[in-house]
């Protein structure tokens, strides 16, 4: 498979997780592209404006990328904390609309600031890896860490509290769950993942501009989760991988990409109300797989 | 008399022009089973909502062990040791019955972050203990078989039992039950009555219960409070309530 496509798929999986986290507690936030754009801008600015980060000048040091990621996480985390406190008071479609507005505001602001390069953006972002393989390795590692953290989250108290809020917020509060804080936690984690993903994307794409986080991206990333499901982190990962690959594989038919996304958003909830990947389906598949393996194993 | 566990002073709650709860004062003493009776729309559920912080009070005061708690958020009220069930059932429908009860254990399930992240032995030990506690509660209500089935696959009666199990998982001191026997047949109602008595003794609970089935309330409760049109119309031991003219009027007269 084309390594560039593979890299895009990995980035898609990370963004899928970012959209998934608030949705796990029933909060439809479409702010992911906004935080993704901020992460990318942080990386673009630091790596092109601060010569000290460049190291010996041969290839851009990975330690500098890690530093950018830490900074991007800090910026997006603090921003999400402030914004989340306000917008998470809204529910359902109102939250969705206000987060779309947030993404648009960020886009217009970055379009009109001089230090972000305005409409042209920032070019010549240095490369820490000589080949796409390097990016794939690094991003796979990040995805693995994020998946592991999500898995731990889901198997512990805050993860269950999030699911309870999704199912019935009032009943969850009556069990002693601080619902406002729990939703805020999910929102901030979502922003962190998006911000860190933006850092890698900026280096990988070599340039960064205001179009990186827009309404289209909100819908695309939402489709990852609608397709994959909101019940386990594996859903948005599969959704991000598959739906990023699909349009590239369908490239011969051009703009069909948008139609595919439209169909997924339309048909997904009808055919698979909880997404394709649910814990129940996973355990059924693994049972089937185990049976199959047992059948194929040579009898002693 | 000693400080009541829970006291409400002149509570009022309006919905538009309707006084759903009208100047109600109430004392719940430690260890008692207090019954709340009244015709439909009398304001019983609204009173529960005020106590549990689900609905803000219009005016009035609520005290827990003599300390004012009026206006507290419902998660903080739960933190005091006040648990409740809902008349119209509010389970977590697609979570398993076990997870429903595990959510009930939320306040007691806190673990060290690093231990949770790296799944240390103490983490697993505590987690196993919590699972056992949740399973024991399901067992108590006779629904342990359904532990791994989603809550919305249960029968109506079993859902009510699951809600009680979840409320008990809060390890409450005061348990508010809103029509726990609704939709059960007479035999099940008797069983439930027994069960409430049993858990009250076993967990040293104070119980405030709403139930329309008068014989059950007569049998179960130490004291009864009767509401009508948002106001308290009678209060006292069951035998006295049974022959109270205002109560008979409320049930048999115009409103009943
Ligand atoms: N959220 C609300 N908004 C408007 N009116 C309400 C609300 N909640 C309750 N009411 C009204 O307040 C009154 C009291 O309702 P409540 O549910 O407390 O009665 P109840 O005694 O529990 O009755 P039932 O036995 O039928 O459960 C009713 O007239 C009801 O319509
Ligand atoms: Mg009621």
């Amino acid at each position: 498979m084309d390594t560039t496509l593979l890299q895009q798929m990995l980035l898609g999986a990370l963004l899928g997780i970012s959209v998934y986290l608030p949705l796990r507690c029933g909060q439809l936030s479409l702010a992911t592209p906004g935080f993704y754009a901020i992460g990318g801008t942080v990386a673009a600015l630091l790596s092109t404006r601060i010569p000290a980060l460049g190291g010996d000048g041969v290839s851009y040091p990975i330690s500098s990328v890690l530093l950018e990621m830490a900074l991007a996480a800090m910026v997006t985390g603090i921003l999400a904390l402030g914004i989340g406190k306000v917008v998470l008071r809204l529910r359902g479609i109102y939250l969705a609309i206000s987060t779309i507005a947030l993404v648009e505001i960020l886009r217009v602001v970055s379009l009109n600031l001089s230090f972000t390069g305005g409409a042209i953006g920032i070019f010549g972002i240095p490369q820490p890896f000589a080949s796409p393989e390097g990016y794939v390795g690094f991003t796979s590692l990040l995805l693995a860490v994020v998946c592991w953290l999500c898995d731990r989250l889901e198997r512990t108290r805050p993860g269950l509290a999030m699911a309870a809020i999704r199912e019935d917020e009032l009943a969850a509060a009556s069990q002693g769950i601080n619902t406002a804080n729990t939703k805020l936690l999910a929102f901030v984690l979502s922003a962190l993942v998006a911000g860190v993903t933006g850092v890698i994307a900026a280096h990988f794409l070599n340039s960064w501009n205001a179009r990186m986080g827009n309404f289209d991206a909100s819908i695309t990333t939402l489709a990852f989760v609608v397709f994959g499901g909101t019940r386990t982190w594996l859903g948005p990962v599969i959704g991000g991988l598959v739906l990023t690959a699909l349009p590239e594989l369908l490239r011969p038919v051009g703009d069909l990409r948008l139609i595919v996304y439209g169909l997924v958003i339309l048909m997904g909830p009808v055919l698979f109300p909880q997404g394709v990947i649910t814990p129940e389906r996973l355990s059924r598949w693994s049972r089937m797989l185990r049976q199959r393996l047992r059948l194929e194993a040579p009898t002693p | 008399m000693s400080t009541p566990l829970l006291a409400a002073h002149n509570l009022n709650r309006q919905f538009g022009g309707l006084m759903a709860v009208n100047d109600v004062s109430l004392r719940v003493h430690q260890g008692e089973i207090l019954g709340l009776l009244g015709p439909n729309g009398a304001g019983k559920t609204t009173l529960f909502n005020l106590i549990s912080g689900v609905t803000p009070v219009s005016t009035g005061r609520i005290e827990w062990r003599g300390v004012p708690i009026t206006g507290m958020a419902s998660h903080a009220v739960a933190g005091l040791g006040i648990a409740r069930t809902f008349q119209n059932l509010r389970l977590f429908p697609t979570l398993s019955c076990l997870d429903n009860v595990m959510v009930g254990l939320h306040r007691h399930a806190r673990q060290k972050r690093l231990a949770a992240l790296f799944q240390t032995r103490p983490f697993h030990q505590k987690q196993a203990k919590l699972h056992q506690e949740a399973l024991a509660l399901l067992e108590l209500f006779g629904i342990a078989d359904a532990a791994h089935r989603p809550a919305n696959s249960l029968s109506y009666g079993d859902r009510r039992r699951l809600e009680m199990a979840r409320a008990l998982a809060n390890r409450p001191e005061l348990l508010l039950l809103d029509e726990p026997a609704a939709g059960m047949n007479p035999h099940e109602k008797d069983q439930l009555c027994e069960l409430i008595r049993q858990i009250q003794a076993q967990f040293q609970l104070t119980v405030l219960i709403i139930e329309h089935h008068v014989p059950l309330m007569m049998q179960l409760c130490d004291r009864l409070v009767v509401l009508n049109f948002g106001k308290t119309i009678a209060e006292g031991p069951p035998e006295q309530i049974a022959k109270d003219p205002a109560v008979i009027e409320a049930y048999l007269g115009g409103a009943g």
Side-chain angles (χ1 to χ4, degrees):
Chain A
M1 189 187 281
D2 177 5
T3 30
T4 307
L5 177 58
L6 192 57
Q7 169 66 6
Q8 277 163 352
M9 289 163 64
L10 292 169
L11 293 174
L14 282 163
L15 291 178
I17 289 183
S18 169
V19 180
Y20 156 77
L21 283 164
L23 268 176
R24 181 169 174 91
C25 34
Q27 309 303 303
L28 178 52
S29 157
L30 295 172
T32 288
F35 294 115
Y36 171 74
I38 290 174
T41 307
V42 167
L45 285 174
L46 291 177
S47 61
T48 55
R49 304 284 153 88
I50 303 179
L53 287 178
D56 56 12
V58 179
S59 74
Y60 192 73
I62 294 182
S63 59
S64 298
V65 178
L66 292 175
L67 188 79
E68 289 165 21
M69 287 165 74
L71 248 146
M74 237 165 67
V75 172
T76 50
I78 291 171
L79 207 65
L81 207 61
I83 293 170
K85 274 211 168 100
V86 182
V87 297
L88 288 172
R89 292 191 193 151
L90 302 171
R91 271 160 226 274
I93 196 73
Y94 298 102
L95 174 64
I97 289 170
S98 74
T99 50
I100 290 172
L102 173 74
V103 169
E104 284 301 293
I105 290 170
L106 287 171
R107 189 178 64 85
V108 173
V109 166
S110 117
L111 206 56
N112 288 290
L113 287 177
S114 59
F115 69 87
T116 58
I120 302 159
I122 298 170
F123 281 95
I125 300 171
Q127 297 297 307
F129 307 106
S131 65
E133 281 81 9
Y135 279 103
V136 167
F138 187 75
T139 314
S140 305
L141 208 65
L142 177 69
L143 181 62
V145 169
V146 170
C147 287
W148 177 68
L149 287 173
C150 283
D151 192 64
R152 292 319 304 153
L153 182 76
E154 282 171 24
R155 286 169 201 276
T156 49
R157 194 176 88 121
L160 189 57
M162 287 176 188
I165 293 173
R166 176 192 66 215
E167 302 273 306
D168 187 330
E169 185 166 347
L170 191 148
S174 295
Q175 311 308 313
I177 294 171
N178 187 332
T179 53
N181 280 358
T182 308
K183 289 191 285 184
L184 192 59
L185 172 70
F187 189 70
V188 170
L189 290 177
S190 155
L192 294 182
V193 173
V196 167
T197 307
V199 171
I200 301 184
H203 285 284
F204 176 65
L205 297 174
N206 197 281
S207 72
W208 200 253
N209 60 48
R211 280 184 304 281
M212 292 307 173
N214 58 14
F215 180 64
D216 266 12
S218 295
I219 299 305
T220 310
T221 46
L222 178 61
F224 298 168
V225 186
V226 170
F227 176 84
T230 59
R231 304 297 305 275
T232 138
W233 54 268
L234 198 55
V237 169
I238 304 279
L241 292 173
V242 170
L243 289 194
T244 312
L246 207 57
E248 294 304 317
L249 301 178
L250 292 174
R251 191 172 277 284
V253 272
D255 280 345
L256 196 72
R257 189 191 81 123
L258 291 173
I259 297 176
V260 169
Y261 280 128
L263 276 179
V264 165
I265 291 199
L266 201 69
M267 297 308 292
V270 177
L271 296 177
F272 302 101
Q274 300 187 337
V276 175
I277 310 289
T278 63
E280 296 77 29
R281 216 164 275 144
L282 279 177
S283 65
R284 201 164 57 233
W285 287 342
S286 80
R287 253 202 321 277
M288 270 157 50
L289 193 71
R290 270 202 304 273
Q291 257 167 17
R292 170 81 52 87
L293 288 177
R294 220 172 299 139
L295 285 181
E296 284 176 1
T299 38
Chain B
M1 207 188 279
S2 64
T3 325
L5 188 63
L6 181 87
H9 302 281
N10 311 98
L11 281 189
N12 283 290
R13 173 67 214 199
Q14 281 168 268
F15 291 112
L18 175 82
M19 292 298 280
V21 169
N22 190 349
D23 202 34
V24 170
S25 295
L26 186 81
R27 288 158 166 272
V28 187
H29 296 285
Q30 181 114 43
E32 74 174 334
I33 302 185
L34 176 60
L36 207 52
L37 276 174
N40 291 118
K44 306 177 298 291
T45 297
T46 305
L47 185 59
F48 266 27
N49 288 343
L50 298 179
I51 294 170
S52 59
V54 168
T55 305
V57 303
S58 297
T59 62
R61 234 160 7 102
I62 305 171
E63 286 171 4
W64 175 251
R65 299 184 183 286
V67 179
I69 60 163
T70 324
M72 239 189 205
S74 59
H75 70 89
V77 174
L80 296 170
I82 302 179
R84 68 169 292 179
T85 64
F86 294 89
Q87 179 177 357
N88 47 358
L89 285 170
R90 304 198 69 140
L91 289 165
F92 307 118
T94 72
L95 298 190
S96 70
C97 295
L98 187 65
D99 276 347
N100 267 271
V101 181
M102 286 298 286
V103 176
L105 282 165
H106 180 82
R107 284 191 306 118
H108 312 289
R110 187 182 288 282
Q111 296 244 40
K112 291 201 181 70
R113 274 194 201 94
L114 281 179
L117 210 52
F118 295 104
Q119 310 181 57
T120 60
R121 249 173 91 97
F123 169 80
H124 279 301
Q125 279 163 351
K126 181 162 181 191
Q127 210 67 7
K129 255 202 199 121
L130 291 165
H131 265 98
Q132 255 155 28
E133 182 173 349
L135 271 174
L137 283 169
L138 289 177
E139 201 120 3
L140 184 62
F141 286 91
I143 44 180
D145 287 345
H148 298 287
R149 291 217 316 264
N152 61 9
S153 70
L154 295 184
S155 72
Y156 194 69
D158 281 345
R159 289 185 203 192
R160 291 225 169 272
R161 285 182 261 266
L162 178 57
E163 257 213 3
M164 286 181 69
R166 182 180 71 180
L168 278 185
N170 296 356
R171 302 186 196 156
E173 288 185 70
L174 173 64
L175 181 61
L176 311 177
L177 298 173
D178 197 345
E179 303 198 18
M184 292 186 183
N185 65 37
H187 174 65
E188 287 180 312
K189 280 183 184 173
D190 283 343
Q191 279 184 332
L192 186 75
C193 187
E194 244 346 280
L195 194 55
I196 292 173
R197 241 195 262 283
Q198 183 197 330
I199 60 173
Q200 191 246 356
Q202 185 178 340
F203 299 98
Q204 293 164 346
L205 293 174
T206 305
V207 179
L208 180 55
I209 176 172
I210 299 173
E211 186 49 63
H212 282 293
H213 192 61
V214 177
L216 184 148
M217 293 290 266
M218 292 285 168
Q219 214 187 92
L220 182 66
C221 299
D222 302 310
R223 235 162 29 98
L224 291 173
V225 170
V226 187
L227 293 185
N228 197 16
F229 296 116
K231 278 186 184 300
T232 312
I233 56 167
E235 187 175 350
E239 28 327 328
Q240 183 189 320
I241 294 295
K243 44 185 200 273
D244 189 297
V247 176
I248 295 167
E249 167 68 21
Y251 271 89
L252 303 178

